[in-house]
Amino acid sequence: MSERHPDGFLKHKRQPIGNRPVIERSTDYREIYLPKWDQTHLQAQGERCMDCGVPTCMGGCPIGNSIPDWNDLIYRGDWRAALEQLHATNNFPEFTGYTCPAPCEPACVLACNDEPVTIKSIERAIVDRGWQEGWIRPQPPEKRSGFQVAIVGSGPAGLAAAQQLNRAGHRVTVYERENRAGGLMTYGIPDFKIAKHQVERRIEQLSAEGIVFETGVEIGKGRTLADLRFQYDAVCLAIGAQKPRNVRVMGRDLAGVHFAMDYLVQENCRQHGEVVTCPISAKGKRVVVLGGGDTGADCVATAHRQGARYVLQININPQLPDERTPANPWPEYSQTYVASYAIEEGGEEVYSMDIIAFEDNKGNGHVDSIVAERVAWRYDEEGKRVGRHVLETKRAIAADLVLVAIGFQGPRSETLKADGLELTARGTITTNANMMTVLPGVFAAGDAQMGPSIVVWAIGEGRDVARQIDIFLSGGSRLPASLRTSNPYISRAKRPYRKQV
Ligand SMILES: Cc1cc2nc3c(=O)[nH]c(=O)nc-3n(C[C@H](O)[C@H](O)[C@H](O)COP(=O)(O)OP(=O)(O)OC[C@H]3O[C@@H](n4cnc5c(N)ncnc54)[C@H](O)[C@@H]3O)c2cc1C
Ligand code: SF4
């Protein structure tokens, strides 16, 4: 490759594509990001990359994207080659270019004492241009292997696994219990974070490549895992980890207290034009969101768009510091406070609050307040909460609608144990080093086996499981091995994300 650009960061300041103004975006369901970007601007941002000897950004990216290579290609104006480079490690760069929390950026060498390269914006721009130019087309395999694989679940893990296996020549059928494919990309993450046409056009691409989608089919009801094992040469369970964690305090059964996902799925369906029975609405209400992760933020933003009177987001943990602490050095994923896009739009956050009851002071069976305590936590060496000291007792917080977004436990399925699968203490599916479950020929990937995480991890899991299935069927594989399994830094970076969603 010709000479690089070691001083680009001295010439240009970091400038991501950015979001639409709050006043405009918080009243509609269109994507929060600016829809247009300028090619010359992005090229200058690519020039900020120094092509460091050790590209720590790649270690920060859970799938080890070749970030310096596409930064350089963009700087040189070779967008098509950049797209190919991007697709070499990531099947769906727009899923990440729009929704990824970008753990690569705090790991960029520039982030040591300057602002990192705007990697996520460059990724988005490359794939946006790929779609605009018509460069992203179906790539059916040249020949078929004769093997057939069933994938259960069509979230990012299932879709990535399906595309990789199909490109290796196997016949792939994806089973999905919902009416539309896409998993949490379709039903969980709101339209204003990723517009659903972005998921739909990928499903169209996969279908044109020869993958069969059977939607509205829940494996375990009617059709069983045993049926799939009989019919297919291998099965992959990419069924997510959508079983919500509950808050077990007095008054939990009152009307007006809902799981976040019940609320978010409804709004996604409504935006798709579906009629929702028993709608949960925030209009005119005092809304309290329990949980400080992505799901909680999406509830805050949705409540604002529905016209909530006010929104309060309660976090059980203390607020993160503004700067890295010595215990969290670069290039680890930075554990610092950054206001979420949702809080930028409005609402209030409180920290270190533990809920002790939901109350119905009017006696009509509906929640009207929450009782909480402000606490200081004691943690063990692994960061688990092991004790608490009460700083303020019985603070009453008015609430007409409470949304519980305190995490997920494992797959939402009652039949896993009866099917003969083994589960971990966290409720996820146990697999061996080759991602195979205790049932021969049955593999698991994505949130279902690693616990709730983020889209980029799910894509990486899908790619890895495809390679393992290919080896199982064919005795070897030409599918790429991901960097995730061999890179110890990537494994370390995994942990913070488990806590966040
Ligand atoms: C509200 C919310 C917001 C989020 N925001 C972000 C974000 O901004 N950025 C980010 O990176 N990550 C985000 N995440 C996390 C991300 O969506 C997940 O980590 C990712 O979707 C996991 O992918 P998956 O394929 O493993 O599972 P899922 O996306 O959960 O897909 C699993 C699929 O399996 C199907 N299924 C389950 N059981 C069966 C069965 N028995 N038969 C047939 N089908 C079945 C389900 O219907 C589902 O479609 C968010 C999560 C939530 C809940
Ligand atoms: S997928 Fe996420 S972590 Fe990886 S390069 Fe893109 S924005 Fe960064």
Side-chain angles (χ1 to χ4, degrees):
M1 183 120 351
S2 49
E3 202 183 308
R4 290 282 187 146
H5 26 91
D7 59 352
F9 71 98
L10 297 173
K11 295 197 261 171
H12 313 287
K13 282 252 155 264
R14 171 184 160 98
Q15 216 177 27
I17 294 173
N19 292 343
R20 292 158 59 211
V22 163
I23 193 150
E24 177 194 309
R25 74 181 197 231
S26 58
T27 54
D28 65 36
Y29 288 82
R30 285 184 292 125
E31 283 169 343
I32 56 174
Y33 327 102
L34 287 171
K36 294 209 174 96
W37 44 265
D38 175 69
Q39 196 167 308
T40 326
H41 159 66
L42 266 299
Q43 281 179 242
Q45 293 297 306
E47 192 185 355
R48 291 188 78 237
C49 176
M50 296 178 282
D51 188 29
C52 315
V54 179
T56 43
C57 54
M58 287 176 65
C61 170
I63 47 177
N65 273 341
S66 305
I67 297 163
D69 289 341
W70 31 268
N71 282 339
D72 184 57
L73 288 162
I74 286 311
Y75 163 64
R76 289 170 201 289
D78 195 344
W79 290 75
R80 192 153 192 175
L83 182 69
E84 265 174 45
Q85 188 65 256
L86 198 50
H87 273 137
T89 49
N90 185 350
N91 298 62
F92 316 116
E94 65 279 25
F95 292 3
T96 47
Y98 280 75
T99 73
C100 190
C104 53
E105 292 189 0
C108 168
V109 169
L110 270 178
C112 262
N113 60 359
D114 194 350
E115 292 195 300
V117 173
T118 174
I119 301 168
K120 181 176 165 183
S121 289
I122 294 175
E123 179 173 332
R124 171 194 154 180
I126 297 169
V127 67
D128 274 359
R129 173 112 193 246
W131 283 109
Q132 278 158 20
E133 300 280 351
W135 294 333
I136 302 175
R137 306 194 55 76
Q139 294 175 36
E142 277 170 16
K143 54 180 186 192
R144 289 289 176 185
S145 66
F147 290 114
Q148 298 196 58
V149 184
I151 311 264
V152 187
S154 65
L159 294 179
Q163 190 167 55
Q164 292 295 96
L165 283 163
N166 187 65
R167 286 185 176 170
H170 309 306
R171 288 258 173 227
V172 180
T173 304
V174 178
Y175 292 93
E176 169 54 56
R177 79 175 155 213
E178 304 295 345
N179 293 330
R180 286 178 289 146
L184 288 174
M185 300 286 310
T186 298
Y187 285 96
I189 303 180
D191 284 51
F192 47 82
K193 269 168 65 184
I194 186 158
K196 301 312 168 214
H197 74 86
Q198 302 224 43
V199 185
E200 285 157 11
R201 68 186 171 189
R202 279 292 178 185
I203 309 292
E204 280 164 24
Q205 182 202 24
L206 268 61
S207 301
E209 288 176 359
I211 295 166
V212 175
F213 286 89
E214 290 213 17
T215 52
V217 179
E218 178 163 358
I219 301 304
K221 281 194 182 155
R223 200 94 175 254
T224 63
L225 179 58
D227 296 336
L228 296 189
R229 290 183 77 198
F230 182 74
Q231 189 184 341
Y232 292 90
D233 300 295
V235 179
C236 174
L237 301 174
I239 56 178
Q242 298 187 16
K243 190 174 181 181
R245 187 171 292 138
N246 207 349
V247 51
R248 299 193 189 284
V249 298
M250 237 171 48
R252 170 62 183 88
D253 295 334
L254 288 172
V257 183
H258 300 274
F259 283 121
M261 278 300 285
D262 293 341
Y263 176 66
L264 293 174
V265 170
Q266 275 196 357
E267 190 53 66
N268 271 322
C269 290
R270 224 185 328 250
Q271 292 306 318
H272 186 246
E274 293 169 38
V275 178
V276 170
T277 44
C278 308
I280 308 166
S281 171
K283 193 171 172 53
K285 293 190 181 148
R286 298 166 300 182
V287 180
V288 176
V289 177
L290 306 184
D294 280 346
T295 308
D298 293 348
C299 288
V300 171
T302 303
H304 279 132
R305 280 160 180 73
Q306 290 183 347
R309 195 160 126 204
Y310 78 66
V311 187
L312 179 73
Q313 188 175 16
I314 295 184
N315 199 320
I316 196 167
N317 289 312
Q319 186 168 356
L320 290 171
D322 290 334
E323 304 280 334
R324 284 179 184 275
T325 63
N328 174 222
W330 174 90
E332 278 183 7
Y333 182 70
S334 67
Q335 300 280 6
T336 53
Y337 175 78
V338 181
S340 69
Y341 79 95
I343 286 295
E344 264 174 30
E345 293 174 359
E348 195 192 333
E349 296 169 290
V350 286
Y351 288 87
S352 302
M353 296 293 278
D354 199 10
I355 305 306
I356 54 171
F358 300 106
E359 287 192 330
D360 162 24
N361 297 303
K362 294 190 196 122
N364 61 3
H366 198 286
V367 68
D368 51 35
S369 79
I370 292 178
V371 184
E373 290 182 334
R374 198 162 61 80
V375 294
W377 294 102
R378 240 176 337 104
Y379 297 91
D380 69 8
E381 277 174 1
E382 289 187 338
K384 272 197 205 137
R385 289 186 296 269
V386 287
R388 45 173 243 155
H389 172 68
V390 178
L391 301 172
E392 181 189 345
T393 54
K394 298 205 173 167
R395 189 196 287 189
I397 300 165
D400 309 310
L401 173 64
V402 179
L403 300 168
V404 180
I406 58 171
F408 298 90
Q409 285 177 314
R412 190 159 60 82
S413 167
E414 304 307 321
T415 59
L416 298 176
K417 277 195 178 154
D419 285 332
L421 293 160
E422 220 175 67
L423 300 185
T424 65
R426 298 191 314 135
T428 53
I429 301 172
T430 305
T431 52
N432 65 17
N434 301 327
M435 303 181 79
M436 187 148 67
T437 68
V438 292
L439 301 177
V442 179
F443 294 74
D447 282 7
Q449 76 103 23
M450 68 184 294
S453 187
I454 52 173
V455 168
V456 60
W457 271 107
I459 293 173
E461 286 268 313
R463 294 173 65 83
D464 283 348
V465 83
R467 180 176 157 82
Q468 294 301 337
I469 293 173
D470 195 24
I471 293 170
F472 171 77
L473 295 175
S474 326
S477 182
R478 295 176 69 182
L479 293 175
S482 94
L483 274 182
R484 302 172 335 115
T485 33
S486 56
N487 184 331
Y489 175 66
I490 290 179
S491 307
R492 274 213 313 281
K494 187 170 167 178
R495 296 197 62 214
Y497 275 100
R498 290 223 165 137
K499 288 190 197 150
Q500 283 205 353
V501 174

